[in-house]
Amino acid sequence: MVLHLGDKMNGHKQIILPPEARVLAVQIYARGTLLLTTPALVALRQSYPRARIDLLASSRAAPLLASWEVLDDIIELERYLVNAEDGKVESGKDSTPPLRTVLRGRGYDAVIVFAHLFEPITTFKLRHIVRSTDAKTFSM
């Protein structure tokens, strides 16, 4: 199976994933933007019916896709945000593991980032998330 992220003419490459790949889709923006990614997620599921497809989304947007059969799991980003002053998870759940630990523990083969990279801070955050997964392949 081939995940088409473009063709060689426009500088993108095709990524070949195993049929049972573990894929993390990242969409950390508002609800409307999340809904715009749903056709791509449906296409991904149709191309890889046996894959594990998880979504990293904002806590405000995640409920829109809860129990959607296209996704295996939704990881809510805000559960893992750390307060810069005291280093504690802002939700107050001291037992919550760091996001990096959660993402690495899932053994993703690929990460697909759905984002506009206009602001340097956004690019920084997303690159940090992608690097935290230790995935073999990613596309931004």
Side-chain angles (χ1 to χ4, degrees):
M1 299 231 138
V2 177
L3 177 61
H4 295 279
L5 299 174
D7 56 34
K8 293 182 183 198
M9 292 181 65
N10 66 12
H12 295 282
K13 63 180 180 177
Q14 294 179 346
I15 298 173
I16 300 171
L17 295 174
E20 296 177 358
R22 296 174 149 291
V23 179
L24 175 65
V26 178
Q27 208 319 337
I28 59 173
Y29 296 108
R31 292 176 281 211
T33 308
L34 176 63
L35 292 176
L36 292 173
T37 65
T38 57
L41 294 170
V42 169
L44 183 63
R45 174 58 71 201
Q46 288 172 344
S47 296
Y48 294 94
R50 296 189 335 228
R52 176 175 181 91
I53 302 173
D54 295 343
L55 174 70
L56 178 65
S58 75
S59 296
R60 293 181 313 277
L64 292 174
L65 300 181
S67 303
W68 188 35
E69 65 277 357
V70 169
L71 299 172
D72 292 297
D73 194 14
I74 298 175
I75 303 166
E76 294 184 29
L77 179 63
E78 283 79 3
R79 286 192 61 213
Y80 300 95
L81 294 181
V82 175
N83 184 324
E85 291 179 20
D86 61 11
K88 292 186 178 178
V89 174
E90 290 183 357
S91 66
K93 298 179 181 178
D94 292 339
S95 63
T96 302
L99 181 60
R100 177 183 207 144
T101 302
V102 171
L103 296 179
R104 284 201 175 168
R106 294 189 181 207
Y108 292 111
D109 297 300
V111 179
I112 303 171
V113 177
F114 296 96
H116 297 286
L117 303 175
F118 297 130
E119 299 178 23
I121 190 66
T122 301
T123 303
F124 175 78
K125 286 181 197 176
L126 292 171
R127 286 191 188 280
H128 178 71
I129 289 169
V130 169
R131 287 186 183 129
S132 294
T133 67
D134 252 0
K136 301 166 192 92
T137 305
F138 74 92
S139 175
M140 292 181 84

